[in-house]
Amino acid sequence: MMRFLTSIFLGAALMAAPAAAQNTPLRIEITEGVIEPLPFAAPDFVPDTPAAAQYATQIARVVAADLTGTGLFREIPANAYISQVSSFDAPVQFADWKAINAQALVTGGVSVSGNTLTVRFRIWDVFSDTELGNGLQFTGTTDGWRRMAHKVADQVYSRITGEGGYFDSRVVFVSESGPKNERRKRLAIMDYDGANVQYLTDSSSIVLAPRFSPAGDRVLYTSYESGTPRIYVLDVGAVQRNVLPTQEGTMSFAPRFSPDGRNVLYSLARGGNTDLYLMDINSGQSRQLTNAPSIETAPSYSPNGSQIVFESDRSGTPQLYIMPANGGEPRKISSGKGRYGTPVWSPRGDLIAFTKQSQGRFHIGVMRTDGSEERLLTASFLDEGPTWAPNGRVIMFTRESPGAEGRATLYSVDITGRNLRPVRTPDGASDPAWSPLQK
Amino acid sequence: MKVSSKLAALGLVLAVAACTNNSPFAAGGGAGGAGANGSVVPGSPSDPRSPAYFQQAVGDRVLFPVNESTLTDAAKTTLQAQADWLLQNTDYAARIEGHADEQGTREYNLALGARRANAAREFLISRGVAGNRITTVSYGKERPIEICSQEACYAKNRRAVTVLVANVTG
């Protein structure tokens, strides 16, 4: 679907830049809970040819939007600039950027040849008078210009925070329309920031909870297409779907890929009882992982595939448990008052995000994998279904408003509970799943 | 109720379409109520063999307390009447649809709806209805009939609805 090739010349620095000073002040520690965003400037990139002009401006705008969207950065508006950047290779006038307190500066050049777009950029630590890392160059197609902008922003974010980036990623979700008692749902995919929405199914049957494969090329989801909930696997590029085998008289739902992409972990309800199963996606053979009269659902793998976190009401209320990936004795990790659900293991392995229902409110929270240090990040009438950004620092989830006019929307929040913000979608939206970082 | 009636009506149409000919429930189905001369209009709520009668007079649904799937005394009374009706009207099979209110996660509510539908199914089987005449499906919180976010609505949404379909088990 997206023909897009990006070459990254990591080794080939654009010029021999002086080594960054050891005492660089240009650093954000995300886990500290940043209060004051870091001021930066991202002047329009410099076009090499007239055909590159529109991209040069738009790419700088997307880079700036990515950075400010994190809440960690604050853009200094162009009308405050003293210097203009008229050539990508001209020396940076550090004094002019210091004067307006731009601690970081992103400069870039754009050239277009046919439908090939090349973006060069540098990141400057203004108060150290140095370049931060080396300049890079990305090449792709013109219709992939937003992805190139996201890649530039990922580099800026990554070099300043020391964390992996997450802007060059996508989100698959359920697009919702119609009133609450006649809601229509269809699968959709978009860039992480809400751009480039594409629909993957029609709304003739209920679809729920899509999940990306580890490579981001396939999506598992639950559909009522056959009249009963079954699991489908969809090839994102070809937009072709296949139903997974099931057993007569059962319902299958809550699927998730194993980290190697070969197996599907899911819930199967038979005779009113829901347990966890594992299916080899090639052979279609399933085996049962839990066998209890309680509800076992919403499973999620640890990043190394050795453990599974899931939700069970074996203690009387839904709580979170971890067990070995092949089954075995589960260990309860949630300990607070309330009902816990939809646990999702962070891609970094350090935290588990979850939904918590307590005293008539819903929260998105995180806890360590041993259940300690529970932190609630949000509170509302109904928040649920967290999904992790590829760097494990931001969570997206569904927020539903109450009442007859109730509507579902997507929100994101970072793991310190800061920077809660809506994600723009054309219609109502629920059940987001964040892709891995694109290659 | 409007929506569920429409769905039930649609179910009836499908059931009719699924059957070949001269089945007892293929007749009528137009305006409800007794005929002008007081006779029973086939297919109307006054026809005790009609799906409309099952839906309205017998009662097609049972309600559940918060987070529970145990049957209340009222639910058992309704299900007993459903069992009696199904035992007498063997042209029909039943699909029991389990539902939850919106308080709860999507996944858990799917599983909870499955429990509720199964509780109703087990009761019907215990009263003599053949298991192969009853299927179940859960809609979790996907298909509320009442849309306010208060207990008055939630109470009606926590339900198991018995939908009649053509009996193809022979």
Side-chain angles (χ1 to χ4, degrees), chain A residues 34-118:
Chain A
V34 176
I35 295 159
E36 191 58 42
L38 186 142
F40 75 98
D44 287 354
F45 285 13
V46 181
D48 291 356
T49 58
Q54 56 164 324
Y55 300 108
T57 301
Q58 288 172 325
I59 286 171
R61 291 302 84 217
V62 169
V63 170
D66 282 345
L67 295 173
T68 54
T70 65
L72 303 172
F73 297 87
R74 174 171 64 81
E75 189 187 12
I76 292 173
N79 61 16
Y81 296 171
I82 298 167
S83 278
Q84 300 302 321
V85 177
S86 52
S87 159
F88 177 63
D89 296 314
V92 168
Q93 304 300 313
F94 288 111
D96 291 347
W97 299 105
K98 283 176 196 164
I100 60 171
N101 194 35
Q103 293 189 36
L105 172 69
V106 183
T107 59
V110 177
S111 63
V112 172
S113 168
N115 67 347
T116 300
L117 182 70
T118 301

Side-chain angles (χ1 to χ4, degrees), chain A residues 67-374:
Chain A
L67 295 173
T68 54
T70 65
L72 303 172
F73 297 87
R74 174 171 64 81
E75 189 187 12
I76 292 173
N79 61 16
Y81 296 171
I82 298 167
S83 278
Q84 300 302 321
V85 177
S86 52
S87 159
F88 177 63
D89 296 314
V92 168
Q93 304 300 313
F94 288 111
D96 291 347
W97 299 105
K98 283 176 196 164
I100 60 171
N101 194 35
Q103 293 189 36
L105 172 69
V106 183
T107 59
V110 177
S111 63
V112 172
S113 168
N115 67 347
T116 300
L117 182 70
T118 301
V119 179
R120 297 174 291 159
F121 69 98
R122 297 185 192 284
I123 305 162
W124 303 94
D125 179 347
V126 172
F127 284 80
S128 301
D129 294 352
T130 56
E131 187 175 0
L132 186 67
N134 292 327
L136 284 182
Q137 171 173 307
F138 297 137
T139 300
T141 53
T142 48
D143 61 2
W145 68 269
R146 288 188 66 93
R147 279 198 62 191
M148 310 211 351
H150 291 318
K151 283 181 174 295
V152 173
D154 274 329
Q155 286 291 324
V156 178
Y157 175 92
S158 183
R159 290 187 199 177
I160 294 177
T161 64
E163 307 278 349
Y166 64 91
F167 307 125
D168 184 25
S169 60
R170 303 172 88 190
V171 172
V172 61
F173 64 102
V174 174
S175 179
E176 301 194 7
S177 60
K180 208 166 171 180
N181 56 351
E182 245 173 304
R183 192 142 291 171
R184 296 162 62 81
K185 297 190 167 195
R186 54 180 169 162
L187 279 195
I189 191 168
M190 64 186 183
D191 295 352
Y192 98 98
D193 59 358
N196 293 324
V197 174
Q198 182 196 353
Y199 297 98
L200 302 174
T201 67
D202 63 24
S203 31
S204 55
S205 40
I206 301 171
V207 289
L208 304 172
R211 308 290 181 212
F212 272 109
S213 64
D217 58 338
R218 291 170 295 162
V219 166
L220 287 167
Y221 65 101
T222 304
S223 171
Y224 281 71
E225 197 172 321
S226 69
T228 193
R230 292 185 65 178
I231 298 168
Y232 292 73
V233 58
L234 180 138
D235 180 305
V236 175
V239 198
Q240 284 177 343
R241 68 188 191 285
N242 286 304
V243 67
L244 295 183
T246 190
Q247 299 162 57
E248 188 65 29
T250 65
M251 305 191 330
S252 329
F253 56 101
R256 229 178 250 282
F257 278 102
S258 60
D260 65 8
R262 291 182 192 159
N263 296 292
V264 177
L265 183 58
Y266 66 102
S267 275
L268 183 139
R270 183 205 312 274
N273 182 33
T274 300
D275 272 303
L276 300 181
Y277 286 72
L278 184 65
M279 182 189 297
D280 178 310
I281 205 163
N282 284 324
S283 71
Q285 293 297 308
S286 278
R287 79 191 167 86
Q288 192 167 354
L289 294 183
T290 64
N291 188 357
S294 46
I295 288 172
E296 277 70 37
T297 189
S300 167
Y301 275 105
S302 61
N304 66 8
S306 68
Q307 296 177 88
I308 294 168
V309 63
F310 63 99
E311 162 186 357
S312 167
D313 66 356
R314 59 186 62 199
S315 72
T317 60
Q319 300 288 328
L320 307 184
Y321 295 80
I322 288 176
M323 69 176 179
N326 290 324
E329 196 52 38
R331 176 175 92 250
K332 182 166 173 282
I333 59 163
S334 55
S335 55
K337 280 187 180 161
R339 302 164 67 83
Y340 293 81
T342 68
V344 193
W345 216 301
S346 157
R348 302 165 65 100
D350 57 342
L351 295 171
I352 287 166
F354 56 85
T355 305
K356 182 175 184 177
Q357 188 184 354
S358 175
Q359 298 179 327
R361 303 273 284 170
F362 278 78
H363 309 270
I364 301 297
V366 293
M367 61 174 66
R368 301 198 63 80
T369 56
D370 62 1
S372 66
E373 296 180 40
E374 175 177 318

Side-chain angles (χ1 to χ4, degrees), chain B residues 14-145:
Chain B
L14 291 173
V16 169
C19 277
T20 48
N21 52 17
N22 66 17
S23 62
F25 50 87
N37 59 1
S39 65
V40 168
V41 175
S44 78
S46 64
D47 173 2
R49 294 176 62 81
S50 72
Y53 179 89
F54 178 86
Q55 202 185 0
Q56 294 169 33
V58 175
D60 67 348
R61 66 197 55 204
V62 295
L63 305 180
F64 294 86
V66 179
N67 294 324
E68 285 187 23
S69 56
T70 44
L71 299 170
T72 62
D73 288 345
K76 287 176 182 169
T77 302
T78 300
L79 288 168
Q80 179 64 63
Q82 287 186 8
D84 294 343
W85 192 94
L86 285 166
L87 288 170
Q88 286 171 16
N89 295 277
T90 53
D91 290 324
Y92 293 95
R95 183 178 72 242
I96 305 179
E97 301 176 345
H99 299 267
D101 66 32
E102 68 188 355
Q103 309 171 95
T105 61
R106 204 175 306 289
E107 291 84 350
Y108 188 80
N109 278 341
L110 272 179
L112 181 58
R115 264 186 186 163
R116 286 174 175 161
N118 191 63
R121 180 176 187 267
E122 292 296 326
F123 188 93
L124 295 180
I125 290 171
S126 76
R127 293 304 189 266
V129 181
N132 64 2
R133 284 178 70 194
I134 319 169
T135 61
T136 59
V137 65
S138 172
Y139 285 94
K141 60 176 175 178
E142 302 303 315
R143 286 286 177 264
I145 47 167

Side-chain angles (χ1 to χ4, degrees), chain A residues 3-18:
Chain A
R3 279 167 282 102
F4 181 74
L5 295 171
T6 302
S7 41
I8 305 174
F9 302 103
L10 276 171
L14 296 171
M15 68 175 185

